[in-house]
Amino acid sequence: MNDLVLTENEALMEHPIVRQVVTQLRALDSYGTYDTWPDYKVLDPMILTKERRREIPVVGDPDEIVISRLKAYYNSIAAGIERECELMAVPFVNLSHEGFGKALILVGRLVAVNKTLRDVHRFGFDSLPDMVADMEKIVGQAVDLIKAHREVAEL
Amino acid sequence: MNDLVLTENEALMEHPIVRQVVTQLRALDSYGTYDTWPDYKVLDPMILTKERRREIPVVGDPDEIVISRLKAYYNSIAAGIERECELMAVPFVNLSHEGFGKALILVGRLVAVNKTLRDVHRFGFDSLPDMVADMEKIVGQAVDLIKAHREVAEL
């Protein structure tokens, strides 16, 4: 894991949703490990190339760090939803010890996001563009749902 | 805690929601402690009389047993909602270590129940009628919400 995948001049580093992920990762870094790291190094473990994935066992318990990445990801999606619909979006991540569970984002009385989690110890994305595309898709679907049921989202 | 509050001939023991709580408590009893206990003894710790409450510290971490009581309670409310509206109701209990958190019951894309939890280590009811009244109130409010937004509950 010493070789970084991302570089200093990553094109998507200034994308708002990527900025948000970096902010969330830094917020969840309770030991201050990232304090002296540049953004691209903080973000780097979110990217699981084929080589990196191969090094992770198929079955395993998610550790604290991978759980904080998962939370940073859903917190950022919630922030993206808030920005677009101007309603509070509350993320919940419910995990069992084996890395299975649910990620929810609630807006008022509406379940704007409802994702089944599995193999959380292997959480990550093939590339940064993949991560951005994934997040934008989830935000977009949530915003559409909120538009269709605005009265429930405002409860 | 050796003196039981409930007795063998408790009037409400045959109430459907009380039957459900007993079933759920037995289902969550992973060590088989309750196998030889009568129903009223299984249910008894749900009742916190003033005397019992006085023996519990004001600040404390909830242990496994009190969390399983809390889960049995919300599972039973979810079962009550299912019975009335014939849609699947999914309970989520999200707790921090300090006994604060959220209890959610989702029906489709609708958040039918959304309760803030605090002082979970002191979870319990003044009496069995109090517990039943509380549960029926939550089920009733959830069912009203589902009726008002059936299209979201059916998503």
Side-chain angles (χ1 to χ4, degrees):
Chain A
M1 281 290 245
N2 280 327
D3 297 328
L4 297 184
V5 172
L6 299 180
T7 60
E8 211 171 334
N9 302 310
E10 210 61 50
L12 281 166
M13 278 309 284
E14 295 309 315
H15 189 293
I17 219 157
V18 176
R19 305 288 336 129
Q20 188 59 244
V21 174
V22 172
T23 304
Q24 293 289 344
L25 284 168
R26 290 193 185 277
L28 293 170
D29 169 38
S30 29
Y31 304 115
T33 315
Y34 302 155
D35 287 358
T36 57
W37 292 13
D39 289 349
Y40 71 95
K41 192 175 168 186
V42 171
L43 197 64
D44 196 77
M46 298 288 278
I47 311 307
L48 286 189
T49 55
K50 271 196 190 130
E51 293 66 39
R52 285 184 173 179
R53 221 174 264 278
R54 216 175 287 138
E55 284 168 25
I56 306 172
V58 173
V59 177
D61 272 3
D63 60 19
E64 218 181 303
I65 295 174
V66 76
I67 292 172
S68 76
R69 275 178 219 140
L70 187 78
K71 287 187 176 169
Y73 175 76
Y74 283 104
N75 289 352
S76 303
I77 290 171
I81 294 169
E82 283 190 352
R83 207 170 33 235
E84 289 217 29
C85 68
E86 297 187 340
L87 293 170
M88 205 170 83
V90 185
F92 286 91
V93 173
N94 232 327
L95 276 184
S96 76
H97 289 297
E98 298 82 19
F100 287 76
K102 277 277 184 187
L104 305 172
I105 299 179
L106 310 186
V107 179
R109 288 289 194 157
L110 187 67
V111 185
V113 174
N114 186 352
K115 293 276 172 196
T116 299
L117 305 173
R118 53 174 71 90
D119 296 331
V120 165
H121 71 295
R122 293 167 73 86
F123 173 71
F125 302 87
D126 289 348
S127 68
L128 194 57
D130 268 9
M131 187 187 88
V132 171
D134 230 68
M135 296 180 80
E136 285 184 332
K137 190 179 154 199
I138 299 174
V139 171
Q141 287 171 336
V143 169
D144 287 348
L145 196 68
I146 292 163
K147 278 184 190 151
H149 304 286
R150 185 91 193 176
E151 76 292 353
V152 177
E154 285 178 354
L155 277 180
Chain B
M1 284 290 245
N2 279 326
D3 297 328
L4 297 184
V5 171
L6 299 179
T7 60
E8 210 171 332
N9 302 309
E10 211 60 48
L12 282 166
M13 279 307 285
E14 296 307 317
H15 190 293
I17 218 156
V18 176
R19 305 286 338 129
Q20 187 60 245
V21 174
V22 172
T23 303
Q24 294 288 344
L25 284 168
R26 289 193 185 278
L28 293 170
D29 170 38
S30 27
Y31 303 114
T33 317
Y34 302 156
D35 286 359
T36 58
W37 291 13
D39 289 347
Y40 71 96
K41 192 175 169 186
V42 171
L43 197 63
D44 197 76
M46 297 288 278
I47 312 305
L48 286 189
T49 56
K50 272 192 187 133
E51 295 65 42
R52 284 184 174 179
R53 221 172 264 277
R54 216 176 286 137
E55 285 169 23
I56 305 172
V58 174
V59 178
D61 271 4
D63 59 19
E64 216 182 305
I65 294 174
V66 76
I67 292 171
S68 76
R69 275 177 220 140
L70 186 78
K71 287 186 175 169
Y73 175 76
Y74 283 103
N75 288 353
S76 303
I77 290 171
I81 294 169
E82 283 190 351
R83 205 169 33 235
E84 290 216 29
C85 68
E86 296 186 341
L87 293 170
M88 206 170 80
V90 184
F92 286 92
V93 174
N94 231 327
L95 275 184
S96 76
H97 288 298
E98 299 80 19
F100 287 76
K102 278 277 185 189
L104 305 171
I105 299 177
L106 310 185
V107 179
R109 287 288 193 158
L110 187 67
V111 184
V113 174
N114 185 353
K115 293 279 170 194
T116 299
L117 304 173
R118 52 175 70 89
D119 296 331
V120 165
H121 70 295
R122 293 166 74 86
F123 173 72
F125 301 88
D126 290 348
S127 68
L128 194 57
D130 268 9
M131 186 186 89
V132 171
D134 231 68
M135 296 181 80
E136 285 184 333
K137 191 179 152 199
I138 298 174
V139 171
Q141 288 171 337
V143 169
D144 287 349
L145 195 69
I146 293 162
K147 278 184 190 152
H149 304 285
R150 184 91 193 177
E151 79 290 355
V152 178
E154 285 179 354
L155 279 179

